[in-house]
Amino acid sequence: MNKLEQQALDYHAAGQRGKIAIQVTKPVASQADLSLAYSPGVAVPCVEINKNPAKAYEYTAKGNLVGVITNGTAVLGLGDIGALAGKPVMEGKAVLFKKFAGIDAFDIEIDETDPDKLIDIIAALHPTFGGINLEDIKAPECFQIERTLRERLSIPVFHDDQHGTAIVVGTGFLNALHLTGRDISLVKVVCSGAGAAAIACLDMLVDLGVRRENVYVCDSRGVLTTERELTAEKRAWAQATDAKTLSDVIGMADVFLGLSGPGLLKQDDVKKMAARPIVFALANPEPELRPELIREVAPDAIIATGRSDYPNQINNALCFPYLFRAALDTGATTINQEMKRACVVALAEMARSDDQFGKQYIVPTLLDKRLLTGVTPQIAVAAQASGVARRQIDAAQYRAQLEALAQTLL
């Protein structure tokens, strides 16, 4: 066991085990307090909620509570390790919600791999939460699970592995195009990987202006072509081409997007790309090709990874706390494409406004103190403009509220 591994175990085991706990938010110092917190006083809000379910957002923690839910079938970098073994990751997600956006979260690990049963279990839990963050559920089941829950429930359901990754990739992508002077409608994109995150990223790039006919996607068997038998999600990206491998399609590509596995991009592949290539090698913990090896053959490349020890880390924590903060505060029934796009644009503008902006800084850092107040309001505006908000907010007052919240989180 190396030093970091031992430190991680010590960190999780020290003091109170794990990383999260319950905090009581009302006084319970007297018999009078207890009579309000529980019997008999607690019956009064119960009656009010029974008459008007929306009152749950006024009298309970529902409006600031997110369920972080997994079945452990695709835990980050570890694969199908099961629900229990995935619990440290879900606790970690709860920590990030609280640290970055003041949102409380319960981690829920469900020992169920049948997608229909999992859908029913999660749907039955919905009265507890103001929103649901699905996490580390494998493809293709994750598509069905999220889609069905979004249809059934009137609270936001968000599969972060898909959409969180897509938002931050979209941010870095826009800024890389800005730095290299490229026209988004003309860029050629080659993607290694066709799982949940990859497909969500490609959907986002097309939403931002990439032409679908300029996108080539490879899975473990090679290029997605119209001659192959493919799932519906993959078939949407199939090209009518005789190309078989990544190397066959990467010639003069402007962008490589890797959401696959280590070593799948070669230096010879990078040499075939267009000048000033944009290389997002996001396999974690080991990227498709290490940045230093990319720079050996393309010194002017703009490179992003999923790792914290290289510049331009594509990290979902840049977006999901602020998406849920805005969704909860506006009472949004869903997190829609307009809200996700607003998040992309806000993050991109934030990075460009920084003196560090350049090929080594195309996305903000996780600890940028401007994120809560700079990104969340734009998402909230998008929720209102797109018609999914159940509560209208005053922009100036909301920003002031977020600034006050930010002071408590520092």
Side-chain angles (χ1 to χ4, degrees), residues 62-119:
K62 178 181 174 73
N64 195 50
L65 186 60
V66 169
V68 179
I69 300 179
T70 191
N71 65 355
T73 53
V75 178
L76 55 86
L78 301 172
D80 186 357
I81 61 173
L84 180 59
K87 185 173 177 64
V89 179
M90 303 310 116
E91 285 190 0
K93 202 66 175 284
V95 169
L96 299 180
F97 269 116
K98 189 69 172 181
K99 170 65 179 176
F100 294 137
I103 294 171
D104 295 316
F106 289 164
D107 64 294
I108 308 289
E109 293 77 31
I110 301 174
D111 189 13
E112 180 57 72
T113 57
D114 181 281
D116 292 324
K117 292 180 180 179
L118 187 61
I119 289 167

Side-chain angles (χ1 to χ4, degrees), residues 23 118 123 182 252 265 290 303 371 380:
Q23 178 181 346
L118 187 61
R182 286 176 160 96
M252 293 308 295
L265 180 68
R290 286 261 182 166
I303 305 168
L371 285 165

Side-chain angles (χ1 to χ4, degrees), residues 288-312:
E288 285 80 3
L289 185 63
R290 286 261 182 166
E292 56 269 24
L293 298 178
I294 296 169
R295 294 215 180 279
E296 283 183 5
V297 294
D300 56 354
I302 295 179
I303 305 168
T305 72
R307 293 171 58 123
S308 60
D309 54 348
Y310 289 107
N312 300 326

Side-chain angles (χ1 to χ4, degrees), residues 305-366:
T305 72
R307 293 171 58 123
S308 60
D309 54 348
Y310 289 107
N312 300 326
Q313 184 189 19
I314 303 300
N315 192 314
N316 297 0
L318 280 170
C319 67
F320 70 78
Y322 316 110
L323 281 162
F324 273 96
R325 182 73 278 160
L328 293 170
D329 292 342
T330 60
T333 56
T334 187
I335 294 174
N336 62 15
Q337 190 62 29
E338 290 84 354
M339 295 166 71
K340 290 183 280 187
R341 191 185 311 119
C343 189
V344 170
V345 172
L347 287 168
E349 290 174 345
M350 181 173 290
R352 286 201 297 273
S353 71
D354 198 295
D355 291 340
Q356 301 178 71
F357 181 62
K359 70 178 186 179
Q360 299 282 78
Y361 187 88
I362 59 173
V363 294
T365 61
L366 288 183

